[in-house]
Amino acid sequence: QSTWGLPNSGMSHSTVFSVSQKLSQQFSEASGDSPASDLLHIQIKDEKFELISFSKNHASSEAAFNEIRGAIQPNQPSFFAVRLRDHSKWTLVSFVPDTAVVKDKMLYAASRSTLKKELGLSLFIGDIICSLPEELTWEHQQREAETAAAHVPLTEVEKLELQDRQLERDSAQDAKTKSVLAFPFTAAALGAIAEFKSETVNFVQLSLNVQKEVIDLLEKKNVTGSTVRDTFAANPRYNLFRYEHTNPENNQKQTKIVFFLTCPETAPVKEKMLSATVKPSVSQFLELQGISVEKQFDSDSAVEEQALLSALYTSVVDEKLSSVSRPSKTGKATRKMIGSTRKELDDD
């Protein structure tokens, strides 16, 4: 279960890539009454979903689907939208080979549902997720389509319910991906975490080095609740902080460990998505090291002490939160917020 965290939080774990104009136009034409193509090859390039190629209408759905195997590239993930002639709907094929680099695996796994929503979720009837060329068979597609295709015309309410179930399934798959994908820690990062655990320092800042595919140390030092804001940087950062403070609810001295991701809106989309995706594995690693984190959250701006207190104690209200309403089920709100998790705190 999640609660709502810090103010000024425009960054989200569902950070999305945009669809290129070329892809949007071609998909729209292929989804019309007189479509000219039924197979689109899509890849993520420069933080966008780009159209790599498209094929004219095939004699059968089988011929269109079988062409995918000839289009895949070694070590390169791809999306393929194939329009089934007998249903006039699309199936999204996600091909992510085991030999692809880790960061590409995460990007494609985390953005699959986004691509469908950007193109039009109601136009898709199913998904096929493959990691081996041998899995790209017409028989496999038939099994998937048979399960997903509706044999009886759906009412508008039933269509909405089906879309909701698809979104829930995609979100669950994305969450599963985020929980298992991890990068190794450098020796410097491991040493700093050990120093934090032994209370030699009370603040450790880490980052995801996308090029080297490792979690690296940026700095380790002692800070206070009023100076932690000075650690905010232009790129995503993982922050581990042992926060010594006065409990506003009983006026007693307390120490609580918080772990938060700072990620400015101006950071590159790929860095934001990867950092958010890897965060759960970093948190799990800290737990395995015997570091008990009391509170986790994300912020797209410098973290002020009042915001820390507000995150830790329900009785403390940050003034910046007063004008913020909780998002509705559709995700719309007067202001964007970041999800956070709260453990039951023992103040004794």
Side-chain angles (χ1 to χ4, degrees), residues 23 36 68 97 101 111 132 142 145 150 186 197 215 259 264 286 302 304:
L23 172 58
I68 294 176
V101 297
S111 60
L132 298 172
Q142 283 185 309
T186 63
K197 184 178 179 181
I215 304 296
F259 174 62
L286 294 175
E304 304 285 352

Side-chain angles (χ1 to χ4, degrees), residues 248-312:
E249 297 177 345
N250 58 24
N251 208 35
Q252 294 182 356
K253 294 292 184 180
Q254 296 255 285
T255 299
K256 297 187 183 296
I257 296 176
V258 294
F259 174 62
F260 55 96
L261 169 63
T262 51
C263 189
E265 290 188 20
T266 54
V269 174
K270 181 181 291 187
E271 285 190 34
K272 291 193 287 187
M273 177 177 284
L274 286 173
S275 295
T277 301
V278 173
K279 182 188 172 187
S281 66
V282 177
S283 175
Q284 291 171 9
F285 180 80
L286 294 175
E287 184 178 352
L288 290 174
Q289 303 309 302
I291 297 174
S292 179
V293 175
E294 299 284 355
K295 181 71 177 180
Q296 295 188 35
F297 56 84
D298 302 337
S299 178
D300 65 359
S301 61
V303 176
E304 304 285 352
E305 184 163 21
Q306 182 70 7
L308 282 172
L309 292 172
S310 177
L312 286 167

Side-chain angles (χ1 to χ4, degrees), residues 39-43 52-53 55 64-81 93-100 108 128-137:
L39 177 62
L40 281 68
H41 184 185
I42 304 165
Q43 290 181 356
I52 302 302
S53 64
S55 300
F65 188 84
N66 288 340
E67 186 178 322
I68 294 176
R69 289 192 64 171
I72 60 175
Q73 303 164 300
N75 308 325
Q76 174 60 57
S78 289
F79 294 117
F80 296 91
V93 178
S94 302
F95 177 69
V96 183
D98 294 333
T99 53
Y108 278 79
I128 298 176
I129 303 173
C130 303
S131 60
L132 298 172
E134 293 76 17
E135 296 174 310
L136 294 169
T137 64

Side-chain angles (χ1 to χ4, degrees), residues 138-188:
W138 172 242
E139 290 75 16
H140 188 178
Q141 190 278 336
Q142 283 185 309
R143 288 195 296 269
E144 294 292 324
E146 190 174 281
T147 301
H151 298 288
V152 179
L154 300 178
T155 65
E156 290 302 316
V157 172
E158 289 172 331
K159 289 179 181 178
L160 290 174
E161 290 176 346
L162 178 60
Q163 290 181 24
D164 285 342
R165 289 197 295 271
Q166 288 177 319
L167 283 173
E168 290 174 0
R169 183 188 62 188
D170 290 343
S171 297
Q173 178 65 32
D174 291 348
K176 180 180 179 181
T177 299
K178 292 176 182 179
S179 69
V180 299
L181 292 173
F183 285 101
F185 288 72
T186 63

Side-chain angles (χ1 to χ4, degrees), residues 64-245:
F65 188 84
N66 288 340
E67 186 178 322
I68 294 176
R69 289 192 64 171
I72 60 175
Q73 303 164 300
N75 308 325
Q76 174 60 57
S78 289
F79 294 117
F80 296 91
V82 56
R83 183 171 49 80
L84 306 179
R85 298 177 64 85
D86 49 345
H87 295 294
S88 298
K89 296 283 187 177
W90 296 86
T91 292
L92 183 64
V93 178
S94 302
F95 177 69
V96 183
D98 294 333
T99 53
V101 297
V102 176
K103 62 184 179 183
D104 285 345
K105 288 182 182 179
M106 290 191 295
L107 282 176
Y108 278 79
S111 60
R112 179 172 55 86
S113 59
T114 297
L115 176 58
K116 290 197 301 180
K117 285 184 282 187
E118 290 290 306
L119 293 176
L121 185 62
S122 63
L123 299 176
F124 289 87
I125 65 168
D127 297 91
I128 298 176
I129 303 173
C130 303
S131 60
L132 298 172
E134 293 76 17
E135 296 174 310
L136 294 169
T137 64
W138 172 242
E139 290 75 16
H140 188 178
Q141 190 278 336
Q142 283 185 309
R143 288 195 296 269
E144 294 292 324
E146 190 174 281
T147 301
H151 298 288
V152 179
L154 300 178
T155 65
E156 290 302 316
V157 172
E158 289 172 331
K159 289 179 181 178
L160 290 174
E161 290 176 346
L162 178 60
Q163 290 181 24
D164 285 342
R165 289 197 295 271
Q166 288 177 319
L167 283 173
E168 290 174 0
R169 183 188 62 188
D170 290 343
S171 297
Q173 178 65 32
D174 291 348
K176 180 180 179 181
T177 299
K178 292 176 182 179
S179 69
V180 299
L181 292 173
F183 285 101
F185 288 72
T186 63
L190 293 174
I193 292 172
E195 289 185 54
F196 180 90
K197 184 178 179 181
S198 65
E199 302 188 12
T200 304
V201 296
N202 71 356
F203 179 81
V204 171
Q205 189 173 75
L206 309 169
S207 72
L208 171 60
N209 187 318
V210 178
Q211 286 69 37
K212 296 182 179 180
E213 298 187 356
V214 296
I215 304 296
D216 209 352
L217 173 69
L218 289 179
E219 62 176 335
K220 56 180 181 179
K221 59 183 180 180
N222 290 304
V223 300
T224 66
S226 60
T227 62
V228 69
R229 69 179 311 279
D230 298 329
T231 63
F232 185 74
N235 287 3
R237 300 286 188 266
Y238 302 113
N239 304 273
L240 184 62
F241 179 34
R242 182 179 293 103
Y243 179 35
E244 297 181 7
H245 59 283

